[in-house]
Amino acid sequence: MGTNKTLNGGSNPSVKPPKKRWSKDDTELFLLSLPTLLWFLIFAYMPMFGVIIAFKVYKLAPGGHGFLYNLFSSEWAGFKNFRYFFTSNAFSMLLRNTILYNIAFIIISASVAVGGALMLSSMRNKRGSKIYQTMMFLPYFMSWVVVSYFVYALLTPERGYVNGIITALGGERIMWYQEKKYWPFILIFLNTWKGMGYGMVLYLASITGIDPSLYEAAVMDGATKKQQARHITLPAIKPVFIMMLILDCGKIFNSDFGLFYQVTGRTPSSLYTTVSTFDTYIYNAIQSSAPIGQTAAASFFQAICSCGTILFANWVVSKLDNENRII
C-alpha cells in the first residue's frame, strides 16, 4: 500500500528534494547587490565596533598611540556611563520631547499623506494632479539648512515678514526665538510640510495599482466617492500604511537633527527645554568637554530603543493582522 501511494503521486518523506544549484541569474543578482552589501558592511556594521566606548572610560594613553590602542587600554566602566545619562536632569526632558514630537509627526504626517493622496487620485484633471504632486514633493529635496534661512527670514524679530504683518495690523512684535510656546507648532508644521510629498507619492503608487474595474463596479452600484475611498482605496493601501507605520515606530527615539538644530537656531538656551532631543543633546555633548563614553552611552541607548520599538510594533501588527507584518 505504501508503494502504491508513492507511485500514485504520494510524497515519500525519506526522499530529499534536489538541491538548487547556483545559476547564472544568482551570480548576476549577487553582483548587482554587491555594492549595497559593501556599503552596509563598511558604513553600518563595521562602525558598530565603536559601541565598546559606551562601556569604557576612554582616555588617551601617553605616547601618541592610535584609536584602537587607546580604546583597549582604557578602563572598563561597566554601566556607569548609562547610569550617569539616566540620572541626569536632562534625561526625562529629552525622553519626553523626543517621543511626543515623533508621535505627533507620525499621526499628522500619515493623515496628511493619506488625505492628500486620496484627493490627488480623485482629481479628474490628471495634468493638474501631476503639477500639484510635483509642487508638494519639491520641499522634500530641500536641505534643512536652506529651510532654516527661510524660517529666519519669516520670524526674525527685527525685519521678519511675520512681525511686519503683525505690526501692520496693530499688534506687537513677537520674539519668536525666545518664546518657546510657539515652537511645537512650528516644528510640527515644518516637518509635515517637508515630508508630505514623499508620503503622498508612496500612497499614490499603491492607489494607481488598484484594478479600475473595482471602481467601475462601485459606480454601477451607486457608490459615492466617499464610499469608494472607504471600501476600495483605503483597504488597498492598508499594507503600505502599516509598513510605513512600523518603520516610523523604529524612529520614535530619534529625531531629525536638521529640524531641531538648524531651524531653531542651534537650540538656544531660551528654547532648550522645548526643542532639545536626544540627537541635539548628543551633538552638543560631543562639542563640549563631556566624556565621550557618556555620549556613546546615550547614542547606544537610542539604537537599542529604536530596535526594540520596531520589533514591538511588528509584534503588535502580527497579532492584529499577521499578513501585513514585516518580519
Side-chain angles (χ1 to χ4, degrees), residues 39-101:
W39 188 92
F40 274 100
L41 179 64
I42 297 173
F43 295 102
Y45 289 100
M46 290 182 63
M48 287 185 182
F49 178 77
V51 170
I52 301 176
I53 302 177
F55 303 92
K56 289 262 190 175
V57 182
Y58 184 79
K59 293 182 179 179
L60 297 177
H65 298 284
F67 169 76
L68 293 178
Y69 180 87
N70 294 325
L71 179 62
F72 287 114
S73 62
S74 299
E75 298 179 359
W76 285 96
F79 293 95
K80 291 182 180 179
N81 292 327
F82 293 91
R83 192 180 303 114
Y84 176 84
F85 175 61
F86 294 150
T87 57
S88 64
N89 297 328
F91 177 75
S92 59
M93 179 267 295
L94 297 172
L95 183 66
R96 178 201 66 200
N97 289 350
T98 305
I99 292 180
L100 292 182
Y101 274 121

Side-chain angles (χ1 to χ4, degrees), residues 3 83 211:
T3 306
R83 192 180 303 114
D211 189 357

